[in-house]
PDB file of all heavy atoms in Angstrom:
ATOM      1  N   THR A   1       0.819  -1.207  -0.003  1.00 96.00           N
ATOM      2  CA  THR A   1      -0.001  -0.001  -0.002  1.00 96.00           C
ATOM      3  C   THR A   1       0.850   1.269  -0.004  1.00 96.00           C
ATOM      4  O   THR A   1       2.047   1.241   0.324  1.00 96.00           O
ATOM      5  CB  THR A   1      -0.928   0.018   1.223  1.00 96.00           C
ATOM      6  OG1 THR A   1      -0.135   0.016   2.413  1.00 96.00           O
ATOM      7  CG2 THR A   1      -1.845  -1.197   1.231  1.00 96.00           C
ATOM      8  N   ALA A   2       0.214   2.363  -0.343  1.00 97.00           N
ATOM      9  CA  ALA A   2       0.850   3.685  -0.287  1.00 97.00           C
ATOM     10  C   ALA A   2      -0.155   4.676   0.267  1.00 97.00           C
ATOM     11  O   ALA A   2      -1.270   4.791  -0.256  1.00 97.00           O
ATOM     12  CB  ALA A   2       1.336   4.118  -1.656  1.00 97.00           C
ATOM     13  N   THR A   3       0.224   5.375   1.323  1.00 97.00           N
ATOM     14  CA  THR A   3      -0.606   6.445   1.860  1.00 97.00           C
ATOM     15  C   THR A   3      -0.385   7.714   1.043  1.00 97.00           C
ATOM     16  O   THR A   3       0.499   7.775   0.179  1.00 97.00           O
ATOM     17  CB  THR A   3      -0.235   6.721   3.312  1.00 97.00           C
ATOM     18  OG1 THR A   3       1.129   7.193   3.365  1.00 97.00           O
ATOM     19  CG2 THR A   3      -0.373   5.465   4.174  1.00 97.00           C
ATOM     20  N   GLY A   4      -1.180   8.731   1.332  1.00 96.00           N
ATOM     21  CA  GLY A   4      -0.987   9.999   0.657  1.00 96.00           C
ATOM     22  C   GLY A   4       0.411  10.542   0.856  1.00 96.00           C
ATOM     23  O   GLY A   4       1.036  11.028  -0.091  1.00 96.00           O
ATOM     24  N   ALA A   5       0.931  10.444   2.085  1.00 95.00           N
ATOM     25  CA  ALA A   5       2.271  10.946   2.366  1.00 95.00           C
ATOM     26  C   ALA A   5       3.340  10.141   1.627  1.00 95.00           C
ATOM     27  O   ALA A   5       4.306  10.696   1.097  1.00 95.00           O
ATOM     28  CB  ALA A   5       2.543  10.916   3.869  1.00 95.00           C
ATOM     29  N   GLN A   6       3.179   8.820   1.586  1.00 96.00           N
ATOM     30  CA  GLN A   6       4.162   7.989   0.895  1.00 96.00           C
ATOM     31  C   GLN A   6       4.158   8.247  -0.606  1.00 96.00           C
ATOM     32  O   GLN A   6       5.210   8.316  -1.239  1.00 96.00           O
ATOM     33  CB  GLN A   6       3.869   6.513   1.181  1.00 96.00           C
ATOM     34  CG  GLN A   6       4.173   6.108   2.614  1.00 96.00           C
ATOM     35  CD  GLN A   6       3.603   4.740   2.972  1.00 96.00           C
ATOM     36  OE1 GLN A   6       2.610   4.290   2.392  1.00 96.00           O
ATOM     37  NE2 GLN A   6       4.226   4.067   3.940  1.00 96.00           N
ATOM     38  N   LEU A   7       2.966   8.410  -1.182  1.00 96.00           N
ATOM     39  CA  LEU A   7       2.907   8.711  -2.610  1.00 96.00           C
ATOM     40  C   LEU A   7       3.516  10.083  -2.884  1.00 96.00           C
ATOM     41  O   LEU A   7       4.237  10.261  -3.890  1.00 96.00           O
ATOM     42  CB  LEU A   7       1.451   8.663  -3.080  1.00 96.00           C
ATOM     43  CG  LEU A   7       1.228   8.849  -4.587  1.00 96.00           C
ATOM     44  CD1 LEU A   7       2.006   7.801  -5.393  1.00 96.00           C
ATOM     45  CD2 LEU A   7      -0.263   8.758  -4.927  1.00 96.00           C
ATOM     46  N   ARG A   8       3.279  11.055  -2.017  1.00 95.00           N
ATOM     47  CA  ARG A   8       3.861  12.395  -2.169  1.00 95.00           C
ATOM     48  C   ARG A   8       5.377  12.309  -2.146  1.00 95.00           C
ATOM     49  O   ARG A   8       6.065  12.976  -2.938  1.00 95.00           O
ATOM     50  CB  ARG A   8       3.354  13.285  -1.045  1.00 95.00           C
ATOM     51  CG  ARG A   8       3.554  14.766  -1.269  1.00 95.00           C
ATOM     52  CD  ARG A   8       2.529  15.291  -2.259  1.00 95.00           C
ATOM     53  NE  ARG A   8       2.242  16.686  -2.092  1.00 95.00           N
ATOM     54  CZ  ARG A   8       2.882  17.691  -2.689  1.00 95.00           C
ATOM     55  NH1 ARG A   8       3.910  17.434  -3.475  1.00 95.00           N
ATOM     56  NH2 ARG A   8       2.518  18.942  -2.506  1.00 95.00           N
ATOM     57  N   THR A   9       5.934  11.488  -1.250  1.00 95.00           N
ATOM     58  CA  THR A   9       7.386  11.335  -1.167  1.00 95.00           C
ATOM     59  C   THR A   9       7.948  10.687  -2.429  1.00 95.00           C
ATOM     60  O   THR A   9       9.009  11.079  -2.942  1.00 95.00           O
ATOM     61  CB  THR A   9       7.756  10.494   0.066  1.00 95.00           C
ATOM     62  OG1 THR A   9       7.316  11.162   1.249  1.00 95.00           O
ATOM     63  CG2 THR A   9       9.269  10.277   0.155  1.00 95.00           C
ATOM     64  N   GLN A  10       7.244   9.693  -2.947  1.00 96.00           N
ATOM     65  CA  GLN A  10       7.698   9.038  -4.179  1.00 96.00           C
ATOM     66  C   GLN A  10       7.638   9.995  -5.362  1.00 96.00           C
ATOM     67  O   GLN A  10       8.523   9.984  -6.225  1.00 96.00           O
ATOM     68  CB  GLN A  10       6.846   7.788  -4.431  1.00 96.00           C
ATOM     69  CG  GLN A  10       7.094   6.684  -3.412  1.00 96.00           C
ATOM     70  CD  GLN A  10       6.093   5.542  -3.531  1.00 96.00           C
ATOM     71  OE1 GLN A  10       5.136   5.627  -4.298  1.00 96.00           O
ATOM     72  NE2 GLN A  10       6.291   4.508  -2.757  1.00 96.00           N
ATOM     73  N   VAL A  11       6.605  10.818  -5.422  1.00 97.00           N
ATOM     74  CA  VAL A  11       6.530  11.824  -6.476  1.00 97.00           C
ATOM     75  C   VAL A  11       7.711  12.784  -6.355  1.00 97.00           C
ATOM     76  O   VAL A  11       8.348  13.151  -7.362  1.00 97.00           O
ATOM     77  CB  VAL A  11       5.203  12.601  -6.401  1.00 97.00           C
ATOM     78  CG1 VAL A  11       5.212  13.794  -7.365  1.00 97.00           C
ATOM     79  CG2 VAL A  11       4.022  11.694  -6.718  1.00 97.00           C
ATOM     80  N   ALA A  12       8.037  13.182  -5.132  1.00 96.00           N
ATOM     81  CA  ALA A  12       9.154  14.108  -4.916  1.00 96.00           C
ATOM     82  C   ALA A  12      10.477  13.495  -5.342  1.00 96.00           C
ATOM     83  O   ALA A  12      11.328  14.170  -5.935  1.00 96.00           O
ATOM     84  CB  ALA A  12       9.202  14.526  -3.443  1.00 96.00           C
ATOM     85  N   ALA A  13      10.671  12.191  -5.053  1.00 96.00           N
ATOM     86  CA  ALA A  13      11.904  11.514  -5.469  1.00 96.00           C
ATOM     87  C   ALA A  13      12.009  11.469  -6.994  1.00 96.00           C
ATOM     88  O   ALA A  13      13.073  11.736  -7.572  1.00 96.00           O
ATOM     89  CB  ALA A  13      11.945  10.106  -4.887  1.00 96.00           C
ATOM     90  N   ALA A  14      10.898  11.139  -7.646  1.00 97.00           N
ATOM     91  CA  ALA A  14      10.900  11.083  -9.102  1.00 97.00           C
ATOM     92  C   ALA A  14      11.138  12.465  -9.707  1.00 97.00           C
ATOM     93  O   ALA A  14      11.865  12.602 -10.704  1.00 97.00           O
ATOM     94  CB  ALA A  14       9.573  10.504  -9.606  1.00 97.00           C
ATOM     95  N   ARG A  15      10.565  13.489  -9.103  1.00 96.00           N
ATOM     96  CA  ARG A  15      10.787  14.841  -9.599  1.00 96.00           C
ATOM     97  C   ARG A  15      12.254  15.255  -9.450  1.00 96.00           C
ATOM     98  O   ARG A  15      12.801  15.942 -10.329  1.00 96.00           O
ATOM     99  CB  ARG A  15       9.885  15.828  -8.866  1.00 96.00           C
ATOM    100  CG  ARG A  15       8.406  15.681  -9.195  1.00 96.00           C
ATOM    101  CD  ARG A  15       7.583  16.795  -8.553  1.00 96.00           C
ATOM    102  NE  ARG A  15       7.926  18.087  -9.128  1.00 96.00           N
ATOM    103  CZ  ARG A  15       7.452  19.255  -8.677  1.00 96.00           C
ATOM    104  NH1 ARG A  15       6.630  19.271  -7.626  1.00 96.00           N
ATOM    105  NH2 ARG A  15       7.779  20.392  -9.257  1.00 96.00           N
ATOM    106  N   ALA A  16      12.877  14.847  -8.356  1.00 95.00           N
ATOM    107  CA  ALA A  16      14.297  15.168  -8.166  1.00 95.00           C
ATOM    108  C   ALA A  16      15.151  14.514  -9.246  1.00 95.00           C
ATOM    109  O   ALA A  16      16.082  15.122  -9.785  1.00 95.00           O
ATOM    110  CB  ALA A  16      14.748  14.730  -6.776  1.00 95.00           C
ATOM    111  N   TYR A  17      14.820  13.257  -9.588  1.00 96.00           N
ATOM    112  CA  TYR A  17      15.547  12.564 -10.646  1.00 96.00           C
ATOM    113  C   TYR A  17      15.336  13.277 -11.988  1.00 96.00           C
ATOM    114  O   TYR A  17      16.293  13.539 -12.734  1.00 96.00           O
ATOM    115  CB  TYR A  17      15.097  11.122 -10.744  1.00 96.00           C
ATOM    116  CG  TYR A  17      15.836  10.310 -11.784  1.00 96.00           C
ATOM    117  CD1 TYR A  17      16.953   9.553 -11.423  1.00 96.00           C
ATOM    118  CD2 TYR A  17      15.446  10.324 -13.123  1.00 96.00           C
ATOM    119  CE1 TYR A  17      17.653   8.821 -12.379  1.00 96.00           C
ATOM    120  CE2 TYR A  17      16.134   9.599 -14.075  1.00 96.00           C
ATOM    121  CZ  TYR A  17      17.233   8.853 -13.701  1.00 96.00           C
ATOM    122  OH  TYR A  17      17.930   8.139 -14.653  1.00 96.00           O
ATOM    123  N   LEU A  18      14.095  13.591 -12.296  1.00 96.00           N
ATOM    124  CA  LEU A  18      13.789  14.236 -13.569  1.00 96.00           C
ATOM    125  C   LEU A  18      14.420  15.615 -13.656  1.00 96.00           C
ATOM    126  O   LEU A  18      14.882  16.045 -14.719  1.00 96.00           O
ATOM    127  CB  LEU A  18      12.270  14.348 -13.744  1.00 96.00           C
ATOM    128  CG  LEU A  18      11.507  13.031 -13.898  1.00 96.00           C
ATOM    129  CD1 LEU A  18      10.002  13.280 -13.836  1.00 96.00           C
ATOM    130  CD2 LEU A  18      11.875  12.335 -15.203  1.00 96.00           C
ATOM    131  N   ARG A  19      14.446  16.326 -12.543  1.00 93.00           N
ATOM    132  CA  ARG A  19      15.006  17.677 -12.523  1.00 93.00           C
ATOM    133  C   ARG A  19      16.490  17.655 -12.860  1.00 93.00           C
ATOM    134  O   ARG A  19      17.022  18.597 -13.453  1.00 93.00           O
ATOM    135  CB  ARG A  19      14.768  18.289 -11.151  1.00 93.00           C
ATOM    136  CG  ARG A  19      15.133  19.760 -11.056  1.00 93.00           C
ATOM    137  CD  ARG A  19      14.465  20.387  -9.868  1.00 93.00           C
ATOM    138  NE  ARG A  19      13.031  20.548 -10.097  1.00 93.00           N
ATOM    139  CZ  ARG A  19      12.308  21.505  -9.529  1.00 93.00           C
ATOM    140  NH1 ARG A  19      12.860  22.356  -8.702  1.00 93.00           N
ATOM    141  NH2 ARG A  19      11.021  21.595  -9.781  1.00 93.00           N
ATOM    142  N   ALA A  20      17.160  16.553 -12.510  1.00 94.00           N
ATOM    143  CA  ALA A  20      18.605  16.433 -12.790  1.00 94.00           C
ATOM    144  C   ALA A  20      18.875  15.797 -14.153  1.00 94.00           C
ATOM    145  O   ALA A  20      20.036  15.598 -14.528  1.00 94.00           O
ATOM    146  CB  ALA A  20      19.258  15.600 -11.697  1.00 94.00           C
ATOM    147  N   SER A  21      17.817  15.466 -14.898  1.00 93.00           N
ATOM    148  CA  SER A  21      17.989  14.733 -16.148  1.00 93.00           C
ATOM    149  C   SER A  21      18.350  15.610 -17.336  1.00 93.00           C
ATOM    150  O   SER A  21      18.731  15.094 -18.391  1.00 93.00           O
ATOM    151  CB  SER A  21      16.698  13.972 -16.477  1.00 93.00           C
ATOM    152  OG  SER A  21      15.647  14.886 -16.794  1.00 93.00           O
ATOM    153  N   GLY A  22      18.201  16.911 -17.190  1.00 92.00           N
ATOM    154  CA  GLY A  22      18.510  17.812 -18.289  1.00 92.00           C
ATOM    155  C   GLY A  22      17.355  18.080 -19.221  1.00 92.00           C
ATOM    156  O   GLY A  22      17.505  18.795 -20.217  1.00 92.00           O
ATOM    157  N   LEU A  23      16.171  17.540 -18.930  1.00 94.00           N
ATOM    158  CA  LEU A  23      15.009  17.814 -19.756  1.00 94.00           C
ATOM    159  C   LEU A  23      14.515  19.245 -19.530  1.00 94.00           C
ATOM    160  O   LEU A  23      14.711  19.816 -18.454  1.00 94.00           O
ATOM    161  CB  LEU A  23      13.880  16.842 -19.444  1.00 94.00           C
ATOM    162  CG  LEU A  23      14.100  15.353 -19.742  1.00 94.00           C
ATOM    163  CD1 LEU A  23      12.844  14.564 -19.411  1.00 94.00           C
ATOM    164  CD2 LEU A  23      14.511  15.125 -21.182  1.00 94.00           C
ATOM    165  N   GLY A  24      13.875  19.796 -20.558  1.00 94.00           N
ATOM    166  CA  GLY A  24      13.305  21.124 -20.458  1.00 94.00           C
ATOM    167  C   GLY A  24      11.794  21.071 -20.524  1.00 94.00           C
ATOM    168  O   GLY A  24      11.198  20.057 -20.910  1.00 94.00           O
ATOM    169  N   ARG A  25      11.157  22.156 -20.162  1.00 95.00           N
ATOM    170  CA  ARG A  25       9.698  22.204 -20.158  1.00 95.00           C
ATOM    171  C   ARG A  25       9.158  21.844 -21.548  1.00 95.00           C
ATOM    172  O   ARG A  25       9.654  22.335 -22.568  1.00 95.00           O
ATOM    173  CB  ARG A  25       9.211  23.587 -19.759  1.00 95.00           C
ATOM    174  CG  ARG A  25       7.693  23.636 -19.580  1.00 95.00           C
ATOM    175  CD  ARG A  25       7.207  25.009 -19.159  1.00 95.00           C
ATOM    176  NE  ARG A  25       5.747  24.986 -19.046  1.00 95.00           N
ATOM    177  CZ  ARG A  25       5.067  24.932 -17.919  1.00 95.00           C
ATOM    178  NH1 ARG A  25       5.717  24.885 -16.762  1.00 95.00           N
ATOM    179  NH2 ARG A  25       3.745  24.918 -17.915  1.00 95.00           N
ATOM    180  N   GLY A  26       8.153  20.974 -21.567  1.00 96.00           N
ATOM    181  CA  GLY A  26       7.559  20.559 -22.829  1.00 96.00           C
ATOM    182  C   GLY A  26       8.212  19.359 -23.471  1.00 96.00           C
ATOM    183  O   GLY A  26       7.704  18.832 -24.466  1.00 96.00           O
ATOM    184  N   ASP A  27       9.362  18.885 -22.918  1.00 97.00           N
ATOM    185  CA  ASP A  27       9.983  17.682 -23.459  1.00 97.00           C
ATOM    186  C   ASP A  27       9.110  16.469 -23.155  1.00 97.00           C
ATOM    187  O   ASP A  27       8.412  16.414 -22.150  1.00 97.00           O
ATOM    188  CB  ASP A  27      11.381  17.477 -22.868  1.00 97.00           C
ATOM    189  CG  ASP A  27      12.418  18.396 -23.502  1.00 97.00           C
ATOM    190  OD1 ASP A  27      12.133  18.936 -24.599  1.00 97.00           O
ATOM    191  OD2 ASP A  27      13.501  18.558 -22.924  1.00 97.00           O
ATOM    192  N   ARG A  28       9.193  15.479 -24.048  1.00 98.00           N
ATOM    193  CA  ARG A  28       8.365  14.282 -23.923  1.00 98.00           C
ATOM    194  C   ARG A  28       9.121  13.161 -23.202  1.00 98.00           C
ATOM    195  O   ARG A  28      10.284  12.895 -23.520  1.00 98.00           O
ATOM    196  CB  ARG A  28       7.905  13.800 -25.300  1.00 98.00           C
ATOM    197  CG  ARG A  28       6.817  14.687 -25.928  1.00 98.00           C
ATOM    198  CD  ARG A  28       7.405  15.833 -26.761  1.00 98.00           C
ATOM    199  NE  ARG A  28       6.401  16.753 -27.270  1.00 98.00           N
ATOM    200  CZ  ARG A  28       5.727  16.573 -28.392  1.00 98.00           C
ATOM    201  NH1 ARG A  28       5.931  15.500 -29.133  1.00 98.00           N
ATOM    202  NH2 ARG A  28       4.843  17.468 -28.793  1.00 98.00           N
ATOM    203  N   CYS A  29       8.473  12.535 -22.276  1.00 98.00           N
ATOM    204  CA  CYS A  29       9.077  11.490 -21.453  1.00 98.00           C
ATOM    205  C   CYS A  29       8.223  10.225 -21.543  1.00 98.00           C
ATOM    206  O   CYS A  29       7.067  10.238 -21.117  1.00 98.00           O
ATOM    207  CB  CYS A  29       9.181  11.974 -20.007  1.00 98.00           C
ATOM    208  SG  CYS A  29       9.978  10.815 -18.898  1.00 98.00           S
ATOM    209  N   ALA A  30       8.777   9.157 -22.107  1.00 98.00           N
ATOM    210  CA  ALA A  30       8.028   7.910 -22.252  1.00 98.00           C
ATOM    211  C   ALA A  30       7.992   7.162 -20.922  1.00 98.00           C
ATOM    212  O   ALA A  30       8.968   7.157 -20.168  1.00 98.00           O
ATOM    213  CB  ALA A  30       8.664   7.035 -23.319  1.00 98.00           C
ATOM    214  N   LEU A  31       6.869   6.530 -20.666  1.00 98.00           N
ATOM    215  CA  LEU A  31       6.674   5.760 -19.450  1.00 98.00           C
ATOM    216  C   LEU A  31       6.214   4.365 -19.878  1.00 98.00           C
ATOM    217  O   LEU A  31       5.076   4.194 -20.296  1.00 98.00           O
ATOM    218  CB  LEU A  31       5.607   6.464 -18.588  1.00 98.00           C
ATOM    219  CG  LEU A  31       5.620   6.285 -17.082  1.00 98.00           C
ATOM    220  CD1 LEU A  31       4.590   7.208 -16.446  1.00 98.00           C
ATOM    221  CD2 LEU A  31       5.375   4.867 -16.686  1.00 98.00           C
ATOM    222  N   VAL A  32       7.139   3.401 -19.818  1.00 98.00           N
ATOM    223  CA  VAL A  32       6.864   2.055 -20.334  1.00 98.00           C
ATOM    224  C   VAL A  32       6.998   1.058 -19.195  1.00 98.00           C
ATOM    225  O   VAL A  32       8.109   0.647 -18.827  1.00 98.00           O
ATOM    226  CB  VAL A  32       7.826   1.694 -21.486  1.00 98.00           C
ATOM    227  CG1 VAL A  32       7.319   0.451 -22.225  1.00 98.00           C
ATOM    228  CG2 VAL A  32       8.003   2.838 -22.453  1.00 98.00           C
ATOM    229  N   ALA A  33       5.868   0.673 -18.625  1.00 97.00           N
ATOM    230  CA  ALA A  33       5.885  -0.224 -17.465  1.00 97.00           C
ATOM    231  C   ALA A  33       4.451  -0.647 -17.155  1.00 97.00           C
ATOM    232  O   ALA A  33       3.499   0.035 -17.536  1.00 97.00           O
ATOM    233  CB  ALA A  33       6.491   0.478 -16.237  1.00 97.00           C
ATOM    234  N   PRO A  34       4.300  -1.780 -16.462  1.00 96.00           N
ATOM    235  CA  PRO A  34       2.953  -2.172 -16.012  1.00 96.00           C
ATOM    236  C   PRO A  34       2.457  -1.223 -14.922  1.00 96.00           C
ATOM    237  O   PRO A  34       3.229  -0.453 -14.333  1.00 96.00           O
ATOM    238  CB  PRO A  34       3.168  -3.590 -15.451  1.00 96.00           C
ATOM    239  CG  PRO A  34       4.524  -4.010 -15.905  1.00 96.00           C
ATOM    240  CD  PRO A  34       5.322  -2.777 -16.102  1.00 96.00           C
ATOM    241  N   ASN A  35       1.168  -1.303 -14.637  1.00 97.00           N
ATOM    242  CA  ASN A  35       0.573  -0.494 -13.567  1.00 97.00           C
ATOM    243  C   ASN A  35       1.278  -0.764 -12.233  1.00 97.00           C
ATOM    244  O   ASN A  35       1.615  -1.908 -11.920  1.00 97.00           O
ATOM    245  CB  ASN A  35      -0.912  -0.827 -13.392  1.00 97.00           C
ATOM    246  CG  ASN A  35      -1.746  -0.433 -14.595  1.00 97.00           C
ATOM    247  OD1 ASN A  35      -1.252   0.118 -15.560  1.00 97.00           O
ATOM    248  ND2 ASN A  35      -3.033  -0.733 -14.520  1.00 97.00           N
ATOM    249  N   SER A  36       1.445   0.270 -11.454  1.00 97.00           N
ATOM    250  CA  SER A  36       2.006   0.125 -10.112  1.00 97.00           C
ATOM    251  C   SER A  36       1.878   1.464  -9.390  1.00 97.00           C
ATOM    252  O   SER A  36       1.518   2.486  -9.992  1.00 97.00           O
ATOM    253  CB  SER A  36       3.492  -0.284 -10.166  1.00 97.00           C
ATOM    254  OG  SER A  36       4.283   0.757 -10.708  1.00 97.00           O
TER     255      SER A  36
END
């Protein structure tokens, strides 16, 4: 399970990774994975 706080933390971790990726606003990011 994931609570609201846990999901918020996971979103923040993913945003930190993306922010360091060098992408710019409007760039397209593919998401290829099963539901989770």
Side-chain angles (χ1 to χ4, degrees):
T1 61
T3 63
Q6 290 167 334
L7 185 57
R8 196 76 154 90
T9 299
Q10 291 171 354
V11 172
R15 291 186 66 186
Y17 182 94
L18 294 171
R19 188 161 287 209
S21 68
L23 296 182
R25 187 179 178 103
D27 282 343
R28 286 89 185 275
C29 183
L31 207 173
V32 194
N35 294 359
S36 67

